[in-house]
Amino acid sequence: MSDISDTPRGSDEGVELEQQGDAPEFEKSAPEDRATEGPLDESEANPVRPYVDLGGVKILPREGLHLRLEVEEETQRVVAVGLDYAGSTLQVQPFAAPRSSGLWHEIRDQITDQIQRQGGRVTERDGAFGPELVAEIPVAAPQGGPVETRVARFVGVDGPRWFLRGVIAGDAAVQPEAAALVEDLFRSIVVVRGTVPMPPRDLIPLRMPAAPTAGTENDYSSL
């Protein structure tokens, strides 16, 4: 996964969700059926479903799904959840957001600007969750070889007091069948905003899950 997708707010590199006190308000961007089909708020989710609790998000296990936690080396805090599924990778990060306005319309511009400054190309299109970005991101080849590019899709959904960002790479970035499977996975995520006051664009805390029960198909590992 490119550095552009791995950096939360407050880091030195990547796309930062910068807090701007006087920034204009934007409408929320989300599918019309978000409250029933997801991504769900904790208050909308079925409490008896066997979710894996990662703090800021809950993940519904499914066959073939492998879960990774991405940890910031310096602080050892969990900064993202990586989901390997259907020949693809879905990285998700939950952020605090205003109650009445959204973040995705503004953040798309930030992502586009950052990728273009790195020499990449970005196209905006309507996707399963509304506007999304398809990016061709430069990847340095080993031993001074020619620069290659990697395709990634940036998706985002504004919920009640939270924003969920996803970065899709692998087959689901280019193949419709894999894309449908990973989009369904993104839909199944539950965001747990909590009641603690947080500035908009702050990463909602993530944590290690409890030990998986015997016989599960999921891998839980920390990078």
Side-chain angles (χ1 to χ4, degrees):
M1 186 71 65
S2 166
D3 289 343
I4 196 82
S5 64
D6 296 343
T7 311
R9 178 182 178 272
S11 300
D12 294 332
E13 298 177 349
V15 177
E16 299 182 5
L17 309 188
E18 299 173 353
Q19 182 181 0
Q20 299 175 2
D22 298 327
E25 291 190 351
F26 294 87
E27 293 184 359
K28 289 183 179 291
S29 177
E32 292 184 1
D33 58 357
R34 185 211 60 76
T36 56
E37 301 301 320
L40 298 174
D41 184 74
E42 182 183 27
S43 65
E44 301 159 342
N46 186 336
V48 302
R49 301 194 79 178
Y51 289 105
V52 178
D53 187 353
L54 303 175
V57 296
K58 292 182 178 180
I59 306 297
L60 188 64
R62 60 184 67 194
E63 185 176 357
L65 173 63
H66 301 279
L67 184 155
R68 296 173 292 104
L69 299 181
E70 302 183 12
V71 178
E72 190 174 55
E73 290 186 16
E74 187 173 329
T75 65
Q76 289 300 296
R77 69 167 182 155
V78 179
V79 295
V81 176
L83 303 170
D84 298 330
Y85 184 63
S88 312
T89 298
L90 169 64
Q91 184 207 60
V92 295
Q93 292 177 296
F95 296 91
R99 185 181 302 275
S100 59
S101 60
L103 299 179
W104 184 224
H105 291 305
E106 179 183 10
I107 289 168
R108 290 201 311 278
D109 290 340
Q110 296 176 6
I111 295 172
T112 298
D113 180 67
Q114 183 70 18
I115 293 174
Q116 289 176 341
R117 281 190 281 147
Q118 293 183 0
R121 300 173 57 187
V122 181
T123 302
E124 182 169 323
R125 69 182 186 187
D126 289 330
F129 308 102
E132 68 174 56
L133 301 176
V134 180
E136 297 178 30
I137 303 171
V139 179
Q143 299 180 346
V147 175
E148 300 178 352
T149 59
R150 178 175 300 176
V151 177
R153 294 170 55 198
F154 291 78
V155 298
V157 171
D158 291 304
R161 299 176 60 240
W162 52 257
F163 165 69
L164 183 65
R165 185 178 73 176
V167 185
I168 300 170
D171 291 350
V174 293
Q175 297 180 6
E177 290 185 4
L181 293 172
V182 174
E183 288 162 4
D184 182 68
L185 175 61
F186 190 69
R187 284 270 199 177
S188 72
I189 294 172
V190 174
V191 179
V192 182
R193 168 60 179 84
T195 58
V196 177
M198 294 179 63
R201 302 170 183 82
D202 268 12
L203 182 70
I204 299 173
L206 299 164
R207 64 168 182 259
M208 296 284 290
T213 57
T216 60
E217 292 292 326
N218 302 283
D219 289 344
Y220 306 101
S221 59
S222 168
L223 294 185

